[in-house]
Amino acid sequence: MRRIECETLIGAPPERCFDLSRSVELHLEAAASTGERAVGGVTSGLLGAGDTVTWEARHLGRRWRLTARIAAYDRRRFFRDEQVRGPFRRLAHDHLFEPSDGGTRMRDVFEFASGFPLLDRLVLAPHLRRFLRRRNELIKRTAEAA
């Protein structure tokens, strides 16, 4: 299993960063280059405890569907989404939010396994790391603009 960790410092309160991270619309904006769409479950607004969403997007030249569920939820501090159905053997994404110097320290811990360790290391890990960074920069810009 591969693990990607990202940290982003944001000049906005944790509550704002938490809510932006649960936004279906913000996720779709961050994934615009893949033509991503929300096609099932919660397809707009904010995801909450127990909610599911099915994403459809083109990655690496192929159209994929992935259904994720909010499996753990602690308002303003933490939530976890996990793949319920999709192309990975395992996928879990922890979103953590801590107050830091008048803002927020936002951390992502993203664990995944496709069943092909070489593919995970050489292709998927760099691809997913870029996606997380792009998404986090959008969260940061949006949170700090308000």
Side-chain angles (χ1 to χ4, degrees):
M1 177 158 10
R2 301 299 297 178
R3 181 180 177 117
I4 300 168
E5 295 189 34
C6 295
E7 182 176 307
T8 307
L9 297 176
I10 303 173
E15 295 84 2
R16 176 135 176 84
C17 301
F18 183 88
D19 287 344
L20 288 169
S21 294
R22 298 182 302 124
S23 167
V24 170
E25 288 79 10
L26 188 133
H27 179 90
L28 292 173
E29 185 177 342
S33 66
T34 68
E36 190 151 347
R37 302 178 307 142
V39 296
V42 176
T43 59
S44 65
L46 300 180
L47 295 164
D51 284 347
T52 62
V53 59
T54 299
W55 307 106
E56 183 180 87
R58 183 168 295 282
H59 289 276
L60 307 172
R62 183 168 173 215
R63 182 140 311 268
W64 299 94
R65 276 193 177 204
L66 183 144
T67 301
R69 177 176 62 91
I70 304 299
Y73 187 92
D74 182 1
R75 176 88 183 116
R76 293 182 299 217
R77 295 185 46 230
F78 165 82
F79 70 95
R80 165 182 278 187
D81 55 88
E82 295 179 346
Q83 175 186 282
V84 174
R85 209 170 20 262
F88 293 94
R89 277 194 175 167
R90 172 166 161 65
L91 184 143
H93 183 183
D94 290 339
H95 306 255
L96 301 112
F97 308 86
E98 301 169 4
S100 175
D101 296 325
T104 302
R105 177 178 175 237
M106 184 174 76
R107 290 183 42 236
D108 292 277
V109 178
F110 192 93
E111 296 180 327
F112 71 96
S114 70
F116 302 96
L118 197 58
L119 175 70
D120 291 353
R121 184 169 53 89
L122 297 177
V123 178
L124 295 176
H127 177 72
L128 293 167
R129 184 175 285 110
R130 279 189 304 273
F131 176 79
L132 285 174
R133 287 184 178 145
R134 187 170 51 243
R135 178 184 165 279
N136 290 354
E137 281 304 311
L138 178 59
I139 291 169
K140 178 179 175 72
R141 280 193 317 272
T142 305
E144 291 177 350

